[in-house]
Amino acid sequence: MIAGDGDKGSDTGRHFLKQWIAEDVAAGRTGGTVVTRFPPEPNGYIHIGHAKAICIDFGMAREFGGRCNLRMDDTNPSKESDEYAESIKKDIRWLGFDWGEGFYSAANLFEQMYEIAERLIEGGHAYVCELTQEQWKEYRGAPTSPGRESPFRNRSAAESLDLFRRMRAGEFADGTLCLRAKIDMASPNIHFRDPVLYRIMRVPHYHTGDKWCIYPMYDFAHPIEDAFEGVTHSMCTLEFEVHRPLYDWVVDRMDEMGLLVVRNGVKIRPQQREFARLNLSYTVMSKRKLLQLVEERRVSGWDDPRMPTVCGLRRRGYTPEAIRDFCERIGVSKYESQTDVALLEYCLRDDLNRRALRRMAVLDPIKVVIDNWPADKVENVAALNNPEDPDAGTRLVPFGRELFIEREDFMEVPSKKFFRVTPGQEVRLRAACLFTCTHVVKDAEGRAVEVHGTYDPDSKGGNAADGRKIKGTIHWVSAAHAVPLEVRLYDRLFTVPDPMGDDTKDFLEFLNEDSLRKITAHAEPALAEAATGQIFQFERVGYFCADTVDSRPGAPVFNRTVTLKDSWAKVGNKQ
RNA sequence: UGCCUCAUGGUGUAACGGUAGCACAGCAGUCUCUGGAACUGCUUGUUUAGGUUCGAAUCCUAAUGAGGCAACCA
């Protein structure tokens, strides 16, 4: 029943939201069901920050055996669309969460919200105000000084009701009149100084079309939506903290009107709590900045594999499992932290290492000629598809006299502890045999163009007959069988951990010029027919995903999802 | 010259008046047909000043620092 029942009621080690919900469950305040909600406004694509909120909202419901609604918080039609709403649904499903029957929209409640507004007017809790926005600025006061009451504040309820109905009927121009709550113009919390409840806005709504020309504000709509849905725990980000008293004020009014849901004899009073939003190093998270990147064509679109959007991460090759694991590991608190993107990358590698099939591809080739291998002879060698997963089986990879290996796997004059190809040093050609470099052929400029050597005929499969240990193993592809692969090498979008952290510089100044490099790699034949979206580990290089937009069977395009950890790079750089 | 939050290693989080722990990152090593993975070890922390207490990261006060609040946005 209650999560945590087994641990003697101890709340130790659980974050503050879990403890909060556990207390309410124990006190019987949920009517037997914890109900949460994820309430996006469908005005853009969701990103990894939303993924954190989704994991919290859906995760808490799951953990406490309750449910989580998906609700489009579509009270401002000016930037909203079905396209966004659909993308949000798709992304949440992809992340692995399901709202079941619990799909809602603020728009479906417009009529009820309107009725509540009328009753608020009748009860003396709201009035129609005719102050212009400019005038209101003066009346409202500043955070440090109290405001003044609107001259329309004490007009009769009948007069306000009449004006409000005429607002709905479309008798007034946009922005002229508005409905205000009558609360406290002297409150230190600005949100209590007669906040706007309804504004006039002749913008067609993507769902209700032209039916309405007045729309409720977030502060009015949100608690109503929560209350009608029987939401018990309404979790949001820190910037809404100062809105909480207003949220409670609306819930109080609904309570007075007898509008709160009763579940199993318990009146459900929705409660709001706030947590810190996710900040990730080397990226930006604000919708506005992301939009700017798209509009200024700094990236190819919302789903550019460098974007922190869910669709971008998906296209890059991120898995839902990795993202969920990440969201679990970062925890939940009220501290405005910046999480190291290295943790996200760790979660990804951890997931992919277990599941991704191995393939060989050479990104920056140099030719190898095995002088004691007959020119026409081709052998198919069996290579493990995934050493982490015995069930993944093996595949056959063609091997011949001429191969490609990575240019960086060859050094004519080796540095210390270089275990790869260098004259006189034996290495293992992954899954094939042992090879010793004998000499190098260079071009006119002295650049190595061909590495020559011999193989040990008694080492077929990769092990020496006498059992001698070989330090280095490298990947390769047969030159005669290699297929060209367009590979997009993605790197971090920004060059600094906090692109927004310098007040004297625009974040665009920190854009990483090398965040995308396109190359043609040489790959083993099996990669040519990769299905789009499929993720492989290119051995010793990294994880790569067949691009869902541009890749075709026979004309593959791969995105580098993330590199493998490369501890040699550190050693090599020190020398 | 207001109100509301927050502050634990490099990063993120736990410890709820009684041994400051975990993960990532970093460093060193073992192992290995991926210089991957796995395994072992190490470095590094309670913002400051008072107070309460036998005992404070934890409670109180103040200071400092960070963030939020003055859309007819959400």
Side-chain angles (χ1 to χ4, degrees):
Chain A
M1 185 188 111
I2 306 169
D5 256 356
D7 58 7
K8 302 185 183 87
S10 163
D11 281 342
T12 275
R14 311 168 84 192
H15 61 67
F16 76 104
L17 292 175
K18 286 188 193 181
Q19 296 184 27
W20 170 56
I21 296 174
E23 280 167 25
D24 284 346
V25 169
R29 283 191 280 265
T30 65
T33 311
V34 168
V35 181
T36 63
R37 101 274 91 111
F38 176 66
E41 184 188 18
N43 68 349
Y45 292 88
I46 58 170
H47 53 61
I48 181 100
H50 296 103
K52 172 183 176 179
I54 288 166
C55 287
I56 292 171
D57 291 332
F58 282 91
M60 290 303 94
R62 184 179 288 177
E63 182 163 342
F64 286 95
R67 60 171 196 267
C68 178
N69 294 339
L70 170 61
R71 176 168 77 231
M72 295 300 157
D73 212 0
D74 43 14
T75 57
N76 180 357
S78 61
K79 293 174 291 179
E80 297 159 1
S81 75
D82 240 336
E83 180 199 340
Y84 288 133
E86 288 308 311
S87 82
I88 291 168
K89 288 183 185 175
K90 176 182 174 180
D91 288 348
I92 297 173
R93 284 203 191 93
W94 179 76
L95 283 169
F97 296 103
D98 182 11
W99 51 90
E101 302 294 302
F103 180 74
Y104 295 85
S105 164
N108 291 137
L109 252 27
F110 282 171
E111 196 63 52
Q112 288 93 323
M113 289 176 188
Y114 177 84
E115 281 167 25
I116 292 172
E118 284 206 350
R119 291 178 67 180
L120 245 27
I121 296 171
E122 288 163 354
H125 293 297
Y127 62 96
V128 170
C129 180
E130 297 175 37
L131 251 24
T132 64
Q133 289 177 53
E134 275 307 300
Q135 291 171 317
W136 178 252
K137 255 186 174 174
E138 295 174 30
Y139 276 85
R140 183 188 47 217
T144 52
S145 60
R148 286 176 11 234
E149 296 189 349
S150 161
F152 304 99
R153 191 176 210 258
N154 293 313
R155 75 193 334 166
S156 72
E159 191 181 359
S160 277
L161 202 52
D162 175 58
L163 287 168
F164 188 49
R165 286 173 179 164
R166 288 163 60 193
M167 279 170 62
R168 178 181 183 173
E171 287 190 31
F172 307 107
D174 286 15
T176 51
L177 310 193
C178 68
L179 183 72
R180 291 186 183 286
K182 192 189 288 187
I183 308 183
D184 178 9
M185 289 307 294
S187 172
N189 184 341
I190 303 248
H191 297 277
F192 256 26
R193 323 242 265 229
D194 289 13
V196 172
L197 265 25
Y198 266 91
R199 78 282 218 188
I200 305 173
M201 196 191 235
R202 282 177 179 75
V203 175
H205 189 282
Y206 76 106
H207 265 177
T208 59
D210 293 326
K211 185 177 179 195
W212 295 88
C213 66
I214 58 172
Y215 292 98
M217 299 289 292
Y218 165 87
D219 282 316
F220 181 60
H222 206 86
I224 294 176
E225 294 155 18
D226 282 348
F228 275 131
E229 291 174 29
V231 167
T232 53
H233 301 268
S234 185
M235 294 166 278
C236 59
T237 43
L238 245 27
E239 70 269 27
F240 293 101
E241 210 158 25
V242 287
H243 295 243
R244 192 154 101 203
L246 185 48
Y247 180 99
D248 290 336
W249 183 89
V250 175
V251 173
D252 283 343
R253 299 292 82 76
M254 290 185 74
D255 190 9
E256 288 167 3
M257 295 176 192
L259 291 177
L260 296 183
V261 166
V262 176
R263 188 159 52 228
N264 294 325
V266 179
K267 189 160 66 184
I268 303 302
R269 241 198 98 88
Q271 299 272 345
Q272 172 184 300
R273 288 294 182 278
E274 312 81 12
F275 58 87
R277 62 184 335 133
L278 171 67
N279 296 298
L280 249 196
S281 62
Y282 296 99
T283 191
V284 294
M285 216 65 100
S286 101
K287 232 178 223 178
R288 232 183 80 239
K289 300 295 179 196
L290 294 175
L291 178 66
Q292 191 181 345
L293 292 173
V294 172
E295 285 183 338
E296 294 181 9
R297 306 212 150 271
R298 312 280 181 170
V299 295
S300 64
W302 287 100
D303 67 344
D304 186 291
R306 291 164 292 184
M307 292 282 273
T309 48
V310 171
C311 55
L313 293 168
R314 177 168 58 226
R315 189 174 168 191
R316 176 80 169 257
Y318 271 80
T319 61
E321 290 82 358
I323 294 173
R324 278 190 259 124
D325 182 34
F326 171 74
C327 290
E328 188 62 38
R329 285 168 183 268
I330 57 176
V332 181
S333 77
K334 300 188 75 160
Y335 179 67
E336 303 187 47
S337 56
Q338 186 180 57
T339 300
D340 192 342
V341 72
L343 181 61
L344 215 210
E345 293 171 346
Y346 167 83
C347 294
L348 217 213
R349 290 190 187 103
D350 192 46
D351 184 40
L352 259 20
N353 174 50
R354 285 193 287 261
R355 308 191 306 171
L357 298 183
R358 271 57 169 176
R359 294 291 183 264
M360 290 195 285
V362 173
L363 268 39
D364 178 22
I366 185 171
K367 185 172 276 187
V368 165
V369 180
I370 305 172
D371 292 318
N372 63 340
W373 185 281
D376 300 332
K377 189 180 172 194
V378 175
E379 249 176 49
N380 285 311
V381 303
L384 244 33
N385 279 327
N386 185 353
E388 301 290 320
D389 177 12
D391 295 336
T394 61
R395 69 193 184 282
L396 261 19
V397 187
F399 180 90
R401 182 176 210 258
E402 298 196 346
L403 310 172
F404 290 121
I405 65 167
E406 299 287 351
R407 184 164 284 276
E408 68 167 24
D409 283 340
F410 170 74
M411 276 182 107
E412 188 178 8
V413 183
S415 54
K416 238 185 282 175
K417 291 191 179 171
F418 183 77
F419 304 136
R420 288 120 91 150
V421 180
T422 189
Q425 180 160 279
E426 190 169 44
V427 299
R428 176 181 296 109
L429 296 171
R430 178 85 163 147
C433 61
L434 300 179
F435 169 83
T436 306
C437 170
T438 51
H439 63 284
V440 194
V441 176
K442 297 179 185 174
D443 63 13
E445 281 121 45
R447 190 169 188 252
V449 291
E450 240 176 48
V451 176
H452 283 254
T454 57
Y455 85 107
D456 172 0
D458 293 326
S459 67
K460 291 280 180 69
N463 280 315
D466 62 5
R468 65 184 182 276
K469 297 282 185 200
I470 305 299
K471 232 13 181 155
T473 299
I474 64 169
H475 61 285
W476 50 269
V477 297
S478 163
H481 304 85
V483 295
L485 219 58
E486 178 178 332
V487 171
R488 298 172 180 173
L489 299 173
Y490 291 106
D491 200 352
R492 292 166 180 175
L493 239 194
F494 293 93
T495 56
V496 295
D498 185 9
M500 303 293 286
D502 188 335
D503 292 337
T504 67
K505 287 183 177 154
D506 188 75
F507 78 113
L508 292 176
E509 291 185 44
F510 299 112
L511 263 182
N512 178 6
E513 298 298 325
D514 295 319
S515 61
L516 169 57
R517 207 155 53 84
K518 293 187 185 183
I519 61 167
T520 301
H522 296 71
E524 62 171 274
L527 245 16
E529 304 300 324
T532 60
Q534 201 175 358
I535 306 168
F536 297 95
Q537 184 196 99
F538 292 0
E539 288 203 83
R540 300 207 311 132
V541 179
Y543 295 96
F544 292 78
C545 170
D547 190 64
T548 47
V549 176
D550 297 323
S551 193
R552 303 272 179 280
V557 176
F558 276 85
N559 301 323
R560 180 168 70 194
T561 305
V562 66
T563 61
L564 249 33
K565 258 175 81 175
D566 185 1
S567 43
W568 164 247
K570 288 169 195 161
V571 178
N573 288 338
K574 279 181 194 164
Q575 297 184 0

